[in-house]
Amino acid sequence: MSGVKPLYGMILGFLIMFSIMAPMASISQKTPPPGLPEVLEFEMLSLPWFPQSDKAAEVVAEQLSKVGIKVKLVRLESAVMYPRIMRTFDYDSFALAVSQTPNPVGMLLAFHSSEARPGGSNYWGYVNAEVDSLIDKALTARSESELKEYAWRIQEIVSKGPFIPLFVSQNIQIIRAEWKNYTLMSGGIIEVYNRWSLLYMYKSDKPEENVFRIAFPADILSTNPFMATDLRSLWVINLLYDPLVALDPNFKVIPWLAERWEVRDDGKTYVFYLRKDVRFHDGKSLTADDVVFTFKVGIGNKTARFAALAQFVESVEKVDDYTVMFKLSKPSYLFLLSLATNLVYIVPRHVWIDKPIDWGNPEPIGTGPFKWHSRKPGESIVLVRNPDYFVKGVPRISTIVVRVIPEAETRFLAIKRGEVDMERYSALPTLVPEAQRDPNLRVIVTPDIWLVYIAFNFRRFNDTRLFEAINYAINREEVVKKAVLGYGSPVYTILNKEWYGDLANRNVFFEYNPQKAIQILESMGYKYDAGRGVMVYVGPPPTTPPATKAPTETPATTPATQTTTTPVRVTEAPNVAVIALILVIVVIAVIALYLLRRR
Amino acid sequence: MSFASRVSRDPLFQAGLAILLLVTLIALAWRLYSPWTSKDMVGAPFQSPSIEHPLGTDDLGRDVMTLVSEGVFITLFVGLASAILIATIGLLVGVTAAVFRGLVDAILMRIVDFLLSIPSLVVALILVAILKPSIFNVILVIAIVGWPASARLVRAYTLSLMEAPYVEASRALGSSLTHIALRHLIPNMTPIVLGSILVGTRAAILLESGLSFLGLGDLERVSLGTILFYARRSAALISGAYWLIVFPGLLIMLIILALTLITLAIERNLKVKE
Amino acid sequence: MSREFAYYLVHRFFQVIVIVILGFIAAFVIFRLLPGDPTISLLDPRIPPEAREELIKRFGLDKPIYEQFLLYVANLARGDFGYSFVYIGTPVVEVIFGERLFNTVVLMSSAMLTSAILGTSLGLLMGFRGGFPDKLFTSTLYLLASAPVFWVGLLIQFYLGYRLGLIPIAGTTSFYFEEVPLHILVLDYVHHMVGPLIVLTMFFTPLYYIYVRNVVSNVRGEDFVLTLKAIGLSDLRILLRISRFALIATVTIIANESALLVVGAVFTETIFGWNGVGRLLYDSILKADYPVLQGIFLLTIVVVATANFTADILYYFLDPRIKVRGLARR
């Protein structure tokens, strides 16, 4: 019958394609010891919505391919990716960014074996008994110098682990030029640790003109000071509520709702004396009852941001109406810092006393510099100046309008057009030249909160030589240049100097050295398979004993490594197959039409 | 004149095929000529079009011409593959409805009617969100939302075939419906199946580009929509890198236009009774 | 109203009910039974396991599947669509209805109305007139119909909004806390709607135009039109006669696209930051907010069924040829 032949042709075409797609022969490969892969081929999960880490992952993948390590990026939405990383541990490796705080506790604990559980912060599953005990000691260090000693030692060990930091990005804020008097801190001018900018910023001497409009990429998720975990919600909560102690622009702890404190019992007791002139937005005074209530509820319900405090605090008691006493289970230099950096806000007891912990809090009442005005879900939030704020004369901004604008490009256009004054997070580096050309805009660059890293699953791969090789194979300068157009600084250890100052161990460093990476991998028993474009395990290195090998074979290994480095670029097999497949289909379709036409 | 010769002489069909061939040939030529793959970062980011890079470079310094030439193939592949799937389902359902008529037909066509009026993008978005994006899931999802249109077309065509003298003769001789379907109907379906594939390809490519643009397609494969997604992510238009937005978009438009023309030619030569 | 019509109405109504029930079952199947664990994305993965268990229990996700289905039916019967996974503590109904639905309905109905009027009248005119203008318009609109809507949206936002500064970049309003007279508020809202409206009109108009034009140019050659001409009726009167067919075509398209009225335009709303259901759909997908997705899906089904039912009634009055037989569609 007419038209049957082309269909046969199509089937034939498919068969040919499948035979092409059949795997090619490769060099003889052996089973490696547990904890090492047969082939240096890794899936790397990445979030397409976070360009910094996603582009970094792409650059790293290209760099690693030059030493015969194949990285296949798998881009997933956060709702799919986070559970795989944090709960089911179903991954080879991933690229992400971790937000930095002025407090090293979070970063250090992420390498403690007790956190290598579902829901813990040690996503990579790193386990090392020595590191565990060092972290325990660091947490109870009594002085900064003692803490530094442990922190440096931890960094030395951990830098050989599955967590491979790449860079700290820079926060690029594009703000309308008429705004004055903001405070520069690490994290940018309006990050939650920076309480100063929004108190003192203004653009006009007429109060009613000081309307500050800010664009958020998405709506806030919660106004509940106990439950909120995302930095958008916390930004709003931070303006509505106050902490007990705050941070000055150099990240030193200063009094805030507590006007002073005393340390007693060799560091086991802290007594906070509250300010007496603080009122909630509903007019009621702040007393010790509110503080005790807040901490009891927060710690008692194991909420995320109180959990870090819970490990220090044994009890919170009211001494009198304006005095609160904290009893610590373990005295620590880090307690006060944690109190300031964990974003714990004092809520009014009279409002929350009969509410569940996850109450929606539709019209928040706090002590903060701004009062809640209104909200249109998905669109906007309006806050107005609190005229009775206990810091006299501030804030100078009369109204804050938070607008939700989902697209980065649109946010920038809105700033350029003057529809908003700035945006919540860092602007895209690609926008900087355009912003600099505009006299109505200022570009403010500070270290950002994001540490971009890649991490491997230590539960699957636990030979640290592998990670060492990867460290040498990554050119961090190039990653910074390509992923964030140079707006970042390379980082080699888990604590960086932008946020932790002297706690960052400057001795930990990996120079870019792909040859060295290849040498390490070959000493582990891997060999480059030119056919597949990847290193495969072929068993322990050459039959010659290692002792004699080192001096004699040095010249011999060099050409060997050279041959392995040159042919690294091999077109990905499935790509070719797909394209060939299309060609076949197109050709067959054309032939089919041609045949039909003849009849 | 047979259907095929009528279609192939239709100027609309010829124009459409010419555009399609031109696009694929240029893309193929570039792939053979260019030393790069879509993963190579070959130059500085955001270089404007030049002789070396006819369409400039993207935010990671990859050659856009290389990306686009690969994207054209991936886009066409997804389009064709899902269209083939669509045509297969459509053929089965359409023939079943037309041959058995009666209640089966009524039920199937009511479902088809209903599915046709649900916005396909919404269903596709929801399904992709649940199934997780990979190139095969995207193809599957496009097929799931695309088959009703094809089924309707096939049914109408089959109904007109059923009235052909030899089919009526066969029925008069007492052949079973299955026999008629297998013996007389399916073999004569080639034109409608080809037509249905091309019509489906158009819809599939639009849907695939849309999903990829939103970042919900297979982001590992460089399709034209994916290029637009990454371009948008790096704010290409405002950064002055118009070539990252304009050219892939134009190419989608060209491909869709070509397929529209071919679809038109097929539709007006099929003379299906509605 | 004849008995025949009453029978037709009841018949159709039962069909609609069956379809809606099937749709609701489909929603349950899609959201509970397909691969992919709906609980996996439930809230922040960093929350302690005990707290997760608590939440899963509260959402009824720990029960056997048939019990979940009964719960689902019971809840739907009470109008309870569940609670959002993302906006913790907010009912789905509250998330979808209200502001978002209002914005979407306003935008989509104006876009569909504009393009229906534009497309139908142009199609009627060109289909009737034929010749060069017809060719020109038809090919232009085919070209327009080939442009992906998100791409057009980007370009329009960039050139009209940014380069020329004619329309606002994003959002639905410029007033968030100021006290402004209502007419200014409305004007401002309409001003914000211009960009999305242009994009959507460019997307919808070809649909109406092409369909109506084809119908009209087919009818033009039919015997009764030729007869009318022979009788000596003026072109205008013939056009009026023919417009009935054009109207049927328009109603068909409106019925087919009606679901967009509530679901909105995902691309356009996202690009222009229009706070509507389309953008909510996209956001909910990114955040895996399954209850909201399910709510939007159910809403779509109800609207589609209602629109089809309404269209059927309209056909009955518009086209005397179509009686109980069924309907002619694309």
Side-chain angles (χ1 to χ4, degrees):
Chain A
M1 296 259 117
S2 70
V4 179
K5 272 179 217 153
L7 288 177
Y8 288 147
M10 249 183 223
I11 294 166
L12 197 68
F14 274 117
L15 287 178
I16 293 169
M17 278 321 306
F18 283 118
S19 60
I20 290 174
M21 282 157 96
M24 294 177 228
S26 60
I27 57 173
S28 70
Q29 136 188 354
K30 297 201 178 95
T31 311
L36 278 177
E38 266 176 43
V39 181
L40 291 185
E41 212 167 358
F42 303 97
E43 268 193 0
M44 184 175 284
L45 311 188
S46 178
L47 269 186
W49 313 104
F50 198 71
Q52 298 179 351
S53 67
D54 192 48
K55 284 163 85 172
E58 193 131 355
V59 179
V60 165
E62 208 222 7
Q63 289 174 354
L64 291 183
S65 76
K66 290 182 181 149
V67 298
I69 299 175
K70 219 182 220 179
V71 171
K72 187 178 173 291
L73 285 189
V74 177
R75 291 188 168 90
L76 297 170
E77 297 147 38
S78 55
V80 184
M81 178 172 162
Y82 286 173
R84 278 180 70 177
I85 294 172
M86 301 171 190
R87 290 195 22 243
T88 57
F89 311 124
D90 170 25
Y91 66 91
D92 285 349
S93 65
F94 64 90
L96 257 188
V98 53
S99 70
Q100 303 291 286
T101 74
N103 184 339
V105 171
M107 284 307 289
L108 293 178
L109 272 180
F111 295 88
H112 198 283
S113 60
S114 68
E115 287 290 317
R117 56 180 163 82
S121 61
N122 186 348
Y123 311 145
W124 27 90
Y126 184 70
V127 178
N128 183 320
E130 193 189 349
V131 170
D132 280 1
S133 74
L134 282 168
I135 293 173
D136 291 338
K137 283 178 191 155
L139 291 182
T140 50
R142 301 297 299 275
S143 68
E144 189 167 359
S145 58
E146 194 187 345
L147 175 64
K148 181 181 160 184
E149 192 182 310
Y150 296 125
W152 276 47
R153 182 78 194 104
I154 292 169
Q155 290 169 70
E156 270 164 34
I157 305 171
V158 164
S159 68
K160 297 190 183 71
F163 177 91
I164 298 168
L166 300 175
F167 61 88
V168 178
S169 58
Q170 283 182 332
N171 181 294
I172 304 164
Q173 281 298 358
I174 297 171
I175 182 170
R176 299 288 301 175
E178 56 267 29
W179 287 94
K180 303 180 260 266
N181 216 15
Y182 32 75
T183 309
L184 266 59
M185 283 170 74
S186 281
I189 58 174
I190 54 149
E191 195 43 71
V192 282
Y193 304 108
N194 187 340
R195 290 195 76 80
W196 311 98
S197 289
L198 289 165
L199 286 181
Y200 293 98
M201 263 165 77
Y202 68 98
K203 67 171 174 183
S204 161
D205 290 332
K206 289 181 203 137
E208 72 276 8
E209 280 177 11
N210 285 322
V211 177
F212 182 68
R213 292 162 201 263
I214 183 166
F216 272 36
D219 200 1
I220 65 167
L221 302 181
S222 167
T223 50
N224 182 321
F226 293 109
M227 300 300 280
T229 48
D230 62 299
L231 285 169
R232 291 191 308 280
S233 305
L234 285 168
W235 189 88
V236 172
I237 292 168
N238 193 35
L239 297 175
L240 297 165
Y241 294 87
D242 282 308
L244 218 47
V245 290
L247 293 170
D248 76 355
N250 299 317
F251 291 148
K252 293 281 165 281
V253 180
I254 55 162
W256 201 253
L257 285 182
E259 58 184 353
R260 63 194 170 86
W261 60 82
E262 281 168 11
V263 186
R264 295 181 191 161
D265 296 345
D266 194 24
K268 284 199 92 169
T269 306
Y270 279 71
V271 179
F272 291 92
Y273 296 94
L274 304 181
R275 297 182 66 107
K276 299 196 168 72
D277 55 351
V278 182
R279 282 172 187 283
F280 285 104
H281 297 155
D282 59 0
K284 297 225 167 65
S285 289
L286 171 102
T287 65
D289 286 327
D290 300 305
V291 177
V292 172
F293 174 80
T294 302
F295 281 92
K296 285 213 162 131
V297 170
I299 292 173
N301 284 284
K302 294 187 182 140
T303 57
R305 278 170 297 105
F306 284 82
L309 282 176
Q311 60 182 342
F312 298 116
V313 178
E314 199 174 70
S315 71
V316 186
E317 286 152 34
K318 171 183 172 180
V319 176
D320 62 48
D321 268 2
Y322 293 97
T323 314
V324 181
M325 186 164 74
F326 283 71
K327 283 230 155 75
L328 303 193
S329 51
K330 42 185 178 188
S332 167
Y333 162 77
L334 287 166
F335 165 67
L336 210 55
L337 191 60
S338 299
L339 203 56
T341 58
N342 278 18
L343 308 177
V344 284
Y345 300 102
I346 308 304
V347 303
R349 180 174 179 275
H350 60 273
V351 172
W352 284 80
I353 185 79
D354 53 350
K355 303 291 192 301
I357 181 90
D358 56 353
W359 180 46
N361 198 16
E363 286 184 355
I365 288 176
T367 54
F370 290 92
K371 292 205 262 191
W372 184 261
H373 179 275
S374 60
R375 172 178 185 191
K376 286 185 195 168
E379 176 137 23
S380 65
I381 296 162
V382 179
L383 308 178
V384 292
R385 181 174 185 270
N386 175 8
D388 307 320
Y389 195 50
F390 68 83
V391 185
K392 294 303 164 215
V394 293
R396 299 189 68 170
I397 293 170
S398 66
T399 311
I400 292 182
V401 179
V402 175
R403 278 186 59 184
V404 179
I405 304 179
E407 302 282 309
E409 212 165 10
T410 317
R411 285 196 294 277
F412 177 69
L413 286 182
I415 297 173
K416 280 210 78 167
R417 280 282 306 274
E419 287 178 27
V420 297
D421 294 301
M422 71 185 293
E423 64 172 298
R424 167 71 181 87
Y425 294 112
S426 177
L428 293 169
T430 49
L431 295 171
V432 172
E434 181 70 19
Q436 280 167 341
R437 271 196 290 277
D438 190 335
N440 295 320
L441 303 179
R442 292 262 180 290
V443 180
I444 302 162
V445 178
T446 51
D448 206 350
I449 53 170
W450 301 111
L451 171 65
V452 176
Y453 66 93
I454 59 171
F456 287 79
N457 194 344
F458 201 67
R459 299 165 182 90
R460 289 185 188 172
F461 320 112
N462 59 18
D463 192 324
T464 51
R465 287 176 297 171
L466 177 64
F467 308 127
E468 208 182 337
I470 290 170
N471 261 312
Y472 283 116
I474 294 174
N475 181 350
R476 287 173 170 82
E477 300 280 349
E478 194 194 40
V479 173
V480 170
K481 217 186 284 169
K482 286 190 164 153
V484 287
L485 301 183
Y487 287 96
S489 28
V491 171
Y492 300 86
T493 169
I494 59 169
L495 299 181
N496 60 80
K497 62 180 190 309
E498 272 80 3
W499 283 88
Y500 308 102
D502 288 343
L503 291 181
N505 185 338
R506 272 153 233 212
N507 302 334
V508 179
F509 175 74
F510 295 93
E511 81 276 11
Y512 173 53
N513 191 344
Q515 299 298 327
K516 196 164 174 180
I518 292 172
Q519 274 171 23
I520 295 173
L521 292 173
E522 283 180 342
S523 76
M524 289 166 70
Y526 287 95
K527 194 167 183 314
Y528 185 73
D529 179 350
R532 296 163 66 180
V534 65
M535 287 260 195
V536 296
Y537 192 80
V538 291
T543 43
T544 41
T548 55
K549 180 199 144 198
T552 52
E553 281 200 10
T554 318
T557 47
T558 322
T561 51
Q562 271 166 1
T563 49
T564 50
T565 44
T566 34
V568 281
R569 190 146 302 116
V570 176
T571 325
E572 220 180 301
N575 252 342
V576 180
V578 166
I579 283 151
L581 186 60
I582 297 162
L583 278 182
V584 171
I585 294 172
V586 169
V587 169
I588 288 170
V590 171
I591 294 172
L593 283 167
Y594 180 70
L595 281 177
L596 283 165
R597 187 187 164 186
R598 289 286 294 269
R599 209 159 287 122
Chain B
M1 268 208 295
S2 77
F3 162 74
S5 61
R6 265 179 304 165
V7 168
S8 57
R9 278 185 204 152
D10 193 315
L12 288 181
F13 174 79
Q14 287 168 351
L17 196 65
I19 296 175
L20 218 51
L21 281 179
L22 194 72
V23 169
T24 41
L25 282 181
I26 291 175
L28 184 67
W30 183 262
R31 274 206 65 79
L32 295 178
Y33 159 80
S34 113
W36 310 305
T37 72
S38 60
K39 293 221 182 300
D40 297 342
M41 299 162 192
V42 294
F46 283 160
Q47 282 180 50
S48 52
S50 62
I51 304 209
E52 202 193 355
H53 303 293
L55 296 184
T57 60
D58 76 350
D59 58 331
L60 281 174
R62 291 172 297 200
D63 179 48
V64 176
M65 185 73 181
T66 307
L67 291 178
V68 161
S69 60
E70 195 169 320
V72 166
F73 283 113
I74 300 288
T75 299
L76 281 175
F77 168 69
V78 174
L80 278 172
S82 24
I84 290 173
L85 212 54
I86 287 174
T88 316
I89 305 174
L91 187 69
L92 290 178
V93 176
V95 169
T96 311
V99 168
F100 291 99
R101 312 273 358 222
L103 190 65
V104 178
D105 186 27
I107 291 175
L108 282 177
M109 283 305 114
R110 276 323 276 180
I111 293 175
V112 163
D113 274 351
F114 185 73
L115 290 179
L116 272 179
S117 47
I118 296 183
S120 53
L121 183 65
V122 174
V123 181
L125 281 174
I126 290 177
L127 285 179
V128 164
I130 293 172
L131 292 174
K132 307 316 164 206
S134 78
I135 199 159
F136 295 105
N137 279 344
V138 169
I139 291 172
L140 188 72
V141 165
I142 295 176
I144 291 174
V145 298
W147 70 267
S150 165
R152 176 181 268 285
L153 199 66
V154 169
R155 174 181 169 274
Y157 186 76
T158 315
L159 284 180
S160 66
L161 273 187
M162 294 276 280
E163 286 162 18
Y166 60 91
V167 179
E168 296 211 319
S170 178
R171 284 172 84 175
L173 288 173
S175 308
S176 74
L177 286 175
T178 330
H179 175 80
I180 292 172
L182 288 178
R183 191 63 208 273
H184 299 298
L185 298 177
I186 305 258
N188 283 309
M189 284 292 177
T190 316
I192 192 76
V193 167
L194 276 179
S196 170
I197 287 178
L198 286 167
V199 176
T201 310
R202 180 184 184 277
I205 287 178
L206 269 181
L207 199 53
E208 191 274 338
S209 322
L211 289 176
S212 302
F213 173 80
L214 291 177
L216 298 171
D218 189 335
L219 291 174
E220 297 332 302
R221 309 270 169 196
V222 189
S223 80
L224 293 173
T226 328
I227 299 174
L228 282 175
F229 168 74
Y230 287 120
R232 181 122 178 88
R233 197 181 68 174
S234 60
L237 209 52
I238 302 169
S239 316
Y242 64 89
W243 55 90
L244 261 174
I245 300 276
V246 171
F247 294 122
L250 263 181
L251 269 173
I252 298 178
M253 190 166 157
L254 266 182
I255 292 174
I256 297 294
L257 182 67
L259 289 166
T260 310
L261 293 176
I262 295 176
T263 308
L264 276 176
I266 289 172
E267 266 174 8
R268 77 178 182 192
N269 287 294
L270 258 181
K271 300 228 173 91
V272 174
K273 266 198 271 174
E274 279 272 342
Chain C
M1 207 201 309
S2 64
R3 264 188 68 192
E4 188 198 33
F5 180 61
Y7 172 77
Y8 174 73
L9 261 189
V10 171
H11 183 72
R12 274 290 187 249
F13 185 71
F14 273 107
Q15 278 186 345
V16 165
I17 296 291
V18 169
I19 290 278
V20 169
I21 290 172
L22 283 178
F24 279 25
I25 294 173
F28 183 81
V29 172
I30 290 174
F31 287 97
R32 304 291 163 90
L33 300 184
L34 278 185
D37 176 6
T39 64
I40 202 151
S41 56
L42 188 55
L43 283 182
D44 198 320
R46 284 162 289 191
I47 66 168
E50 316 91 67
R52 268 184 60 80
E53 294 306 315
E54 182 64 31
L55 272 157
I56 286 174
K57 223 173 253 168
R58 197 189 302 174
F59 283 106
L61 294 169
D62 58 333
K63 296 197 173 72
I65 207 78
Y66 67 90
E67 257 182 63
Q68 282 191 40
F69 183 71
L70 291 180
L71 197 70
Y72 169 81
V73 174
N75 283 342
L76 284 185
R78 281 187 285 124
D80 178 0
F81 285 60
Y83 289 83
S84 162
F85 281 177
V86 173
Y87 301 103
I88 303 152
T90 319
V92 169
V93 177
E94 222 171 274
V95 175
I96 298 175
F97 289 91
E99 194 119 3
R100 286 191 178 91
L101 191 64
F102 174 79
N103 287 336
T104 289
V105 169
V106 171
L107 174 65
M108 294 313 285
S109 54
S110 3
M112 285 166 87
L113 208 66
T114 320
S115 38
I117 294 173
L118 211 66
T120 309
S121 48
L122 272 178
L124 190 61
L125 217 62
M126 292 302 152
F128 187 67
R129 197 172 180 286
F132 177 73
D134 174 33
K135 283 209 173 98
L136 185 74
F137 261 92
T138 311
S139 39
T140 313
L141 282 170
Y142 269 120
L143 198 66
L144 217 55
S146 305
V149 58
F150 48 86
W151 186 64
V152 175
L154 281 184
L155 295 181
I156 287 207
Q157 184 190 43
F158 184 70
Y159 287 105
L160 287 191
Y162 174 56
R163 277 287 151 82
L164 300 178
L166 294 177
I167 52 171
I169 298 294
T172 57
T173 175
S174 349
F175 305 108
Y176 292 92
F177 59 94
E178 297 95 335
E179 296 288 327
V180 238
L182 186 67
H183 68 278
I184 293 185
L185 213 59
V186 171
L187 274 180
D188 182 61
Y189 188 82
V190 172
H191 190 204
H192 277 80
M193 204 168 68
V194 172
L197 197 60
I198 293 176
V199 176
L200 289 173
T201 310
M202 280 171 74
F203 173 69
F204 282 123
T205 308
L207 285 184
Y208 292 96
Y209 174 81
I210 290 163
Y211 197 25
V212 169
R213 182 206 157 267
N214 288 346
V215 167
V216 172
S217 68
N218 283 341
V219 170
R220 198 170 52 140
E222 273 185 24
D223 291 343
F224 84 96
V225 177
L226 297 177
T227 321
L228 289 178
K229 257 192 184 148
I231 297 171
L233 244 66
S234 71
D235 273 5
L236 189 67
R237 306 207 48 185
I238 299 177
L239 195 67
L240 282 176
R241 291 274 172 112
I242 293 181
S243 60
R244 178 192 280 272
F245 296 96
L247 215 54
I248 295 171
T250 308
V251 168
T252 307
I253 300 179
I254 291 184
N256 276 342
E257 307 291 330
S258 62
L260 293 178
L261 206 61
V262 291
V263 178
V266 178
F267 299 119
T268 316
E269 288 183 7
T270 307
I271 289 169
F272 285 94
W274 188 263
N275 186 27
V277 181
R279 213 185 88 197
L280 176 69
L281 174 68
Y282 181 50
D283 284 351
S284 307
I285 286 169
L286 295 186
K287 293 178 187 140
D289 197 346
Y290 287 90
V292 171
L293 287 178
Q294 180 178 292
I296 295 176
F297 187 77
L298 296 179
L299 185 65
T300 315
I301 285 169
V302 172
V303 172
V304 167
T306 321
N308 278 359
F309 183 60
T310 320
D312 284 347
I313 298 173
L314 277 178
Y315 285 130
Y316 188 88
F317 290 111
L318 281 174
D319 192 346
R321 291 180 307 188
I322 299 168
K323 287 294 172 194
V324 188
R325 205 156 46 83
L327 15 140
R329 291 256 187 91
R330 274 190 292 181

